[in-house]
Structure formats: structure tokens, C-alpha cells
Amino acid sequence: MSLFNDYVSAVYTTLNAVSGLTGIISEKLTNDGTWPKIWLEDGGADDWSDKDDDGLEAIINLHIGSRYDGTKEVRSLMDKCHNALHNANLVLANSQSVLCQFLRHDIVTDSDGQTRHGIMKFRLLISEV
């Protein structure tokens, strides 16, 4: 099964094409000083294959960081991410996404007292073509 890189890449590509998100998406948190930023985290996957089909149920966590005084910027970015991914037909290189579904979100203030941190969780049900 060659699905593992496909779904992370598909989420990255989808989000990076959205106006207002382009250029702030990465696969890791960087300390380059520019805010806001969004980084992707692979939340794990479970196999649902049977004798005829290969597939995964995968979780992607989005982390949205902002230094805006309040949660307005985080909520706006979360809205864009939700609109781009919820029930989206993601394009995967070697497989087909059959469902991308929003599960939950949280917003917290990081320990620095300044950074607002939004966390979004999406479930992807993926079958190999």
C-alpha cells in the first residue's frame, strides 16, 4: 500500500491553493518569526483493507498559529481550512480519497501567553485505486 505520503500531500496541496492560506502551510512548525502559520501533523491511520480492496482511515491534524491579539485571525483561518477540506474530493497520486470529514477543533493560548493555537482534526477514508 502506497497511501501514506499521498494523503498528507493532498491536504497540503489543497490548502496551499486557497487564497489567504498560500505560503503559510508547512509540514512542521518553524521558528522563522512570521505569523500566522499552519502546520500539518499526521494523526495516525488504521487499515480497513479486505481481500479485494486496500484502504486507510487516516487522521490529519492542522495546527493554526497566530499572534493576533484575540482569536479572530485563528477562527478566520480555521474557516478557510474547513471550507477547503470538509467533504472535499482530494486528488491523491496513487489512491482515491472517498471522504475527507471535519471532526473537531480547539483553540488554546500557548504557554508564551501570546500565541493563539487552533487545532483542527480531519478524518480521511482512503481506498487504493
Side-chain angles (χ1 to χ4, degrees):
M1 187 179 304
S2 61
L3 303 176
F4 296 102
N5 285 325
D6 288 352
Y7 67 83
V8 174
S9 181
V11 169
Y12 175 87
T13 299
T14 300
L15 291 176
N16 206 40
V18 174
S19 177
L21 300 181
T22 303
I24 65 170
I25 312 291
S26 69
E27 284 193 67
K28 65 179 184 171
L29 175 60
T30 59
N31 292 317
D32 63 6
T34 60
W35 296 89
K37 54 183 79 184
I38 298 174
W39 60 103
L40 308 176
E41 175 187 54
D42 188 332
D46 292 311
D47 189 336
W48 61 262
S49 301
D50 59 26
K51 68 181 186 82
D52 298 318
D53 298 302
D54 288 329
L56 293 174
E57 178 179 353
I59 300 294
I60 289 284
N61 297 314
L62 303 182
H63 296 268
I64 296 99
S66 169
R67 295 265 169 93
Y68 179 84
D69 189 17
T71 61
K72 180 180 180 180
E73 185 173 58
V74 168
R75 288 184 285 110
S76 175
L77 292 169
M78 291 172 88
D79 193 41
K80 289 176 187 269
C81 292
H82 181 271
N83 289 340
L85 294 175
H86 184 60
N87 291 329
N89 293 319
L90 300 179
V91 178
L92 281 71
N94 296 312
S95 51
Q96 177 182 1
S97 176
V98 294
L99 177 65
C100 180
Q101 187 176 40
F102 171 74
L103 295 176
R104 68 168 289 127
H105 86 276
D106 294 294
I107 299 175
V108 297
T109 302
D110 284 352
S111 60
D112 65 5
Q114 180 182 11
T115 306
R116 303 294 189 260
H117 185 165
I119 304 155
M120 300 180 78
K121 187 175 293 255
F122 289 87
R123 176 177 56 198
L124 290 85
L125 295 178
I126 306 162
S127 64
E128 194 166 38
V129 174

